[in-house]
Amino acid sequence: MIYKVYDNTDELNREAASHFEEVLTSVESPVLGLATGSTPVGLYKELIKLCKDEKISFKNASSFNLDEYVGLDAAHDQSYAYFMRQNLFDHVDINIENTHVPSGLGDNDKVCADYNAELEKHVVDIQILGIGSNGHIAFNEPGTSFDAVTHVVNLTEQSITDNARFFDSIDDVPKQAITMGLKNIYASKKIILIAMGENKADAVKMLIEDAPNTDAPCSILQNHDNVVVLLDSAAASKLTK
Ligand code: PGA
């Protein structure tokens, strides 16, 4: 795992985008692993710019998102399907048919099984990740097995509180989500993890300094041989090494 610390978040996002550019311009049918939340928004803006400037194209790309809330349909403005259209898909030349976000309204067991089957067929070339303040990646909350594949998860109070800022009230935050498991994420050829802000500093310390353990789901990434961690100085502030 390598990590870099930035004073300037524009530079950080350009660095993240350059890894996606490399994949999009060198792989014939690139498979992208995508994320939602505040963290990837700057990266997506960079990718939209690169696409408008015709430096990259998503024409031959497909994508798999990490997660979706249970109970929200794709038209709900806080669903992750909606987020992806707003923040990326509607602004680039990706074929929407080739984008995958698990459905929050289907038969959950079938949605998970189908998603795992698709992920068996398509190896993700590059995955963008944020990190939760509790060390989760996607919605793999503390305690999740490193062998977990796509599953339904009961969100922790911490994750619900962290995400309440997107909803009118904390009671509106869904209590469950469908998430790719740690094993699915680990199968990506390359992983870019971005963390910004002081409230991520404890999680970043777990990510980089804790021995791999399931209380810190992010720590699984230490065993992966192609992970780039991009931090702002606040997120890096608790690192001791
Ligand atoms: P955030 O969420 O990007 O909105 O901070 C990250 C996460 O929970 O993984």
Side-chain angles (χ1 to χ4, degrees), residues 137-176:
I137 49 176
F139 274 129
N140 291 280
E141 302 285 27
T144 306
S145 161
F146 285 180
D147 287 329
V149 291
T150 308
H151 61 286
V152 178
V153 59
N154 295 322
L155 300 181
T156 59
E157 283 305 317
Q158 183 68 58
S159 294
I160 291 170
T161 308
D162 285 350
N163 287 357
R165 68 190 192 279
F166 297 114
F167 291 83
D168 290 338
S169 110
I170 193 164
D171 298 331
D172 294 338
V173 184
K175 306 289 180 285
Q176 288 189 311

Side-chain angles (χ1 to χ4, degrees), residues 36-39 130-132 136 165-166 200:
T36 52
S38 306
T39 303
I131 189 169
H136 74 206
R165 68 190 192 279
F166 297 114
K200 301 294 174 72

Side-chain angles (χ1 to χ4, degrees), residues 121-223:
K121 286 190 268 176
H122 304 272
V123 178
V124 170
D125 291 297
I126 184 164
Q127 172 72 57
I128 179 68
L129 290 180
I131 189 169
S133 63
N134 63 359
H136 74 206
I137 49 176
F139 274 129
N140 291 280
E141 302 285 27
T144 306
S145 161
F146 285 180
D147 287 329
V149 291
T150 308
H151 61 286
V152 178
V153 59
N154 295 322
L155 300 181
T156 59
E157 283 305 317
Q158 183 68 58
S159 294
I160 291 170
T161 308
D162 285 350
N163 287 357
R165 68 190 192 279
F166 297 114
F167 291 83
D168 290 338
S169 110
I170 193 164
D171 298 331
D172 294 338
V173 184
K175 306 289 180 285
Q176 288 189 311
I178 290 175
T179 182
M180 265 193 213
L182 293 169
K183 190 172 175 189
N184 304 113
I185 295 169
Y186 192 82
S188 305
K189 290 186 194 159
K190 178 168 192 156
I191 295 173
I192 310 296
L193 185 147
I194 297 177
M196 294 182 285
E198 205 185 337
N199 72 324
K200 301 294 174 72
D202 287 320
V204 166
K205 191 170 180 336
M206 288 181 209
L207 167 73
I208 293 175
E209 297 188 357
D210 281 13
N213 75 95
T214 54
D215 287 337
C218 54
S219 65
I220 189 178
L221 299 179
Q222 286 176 21
N223 299 329

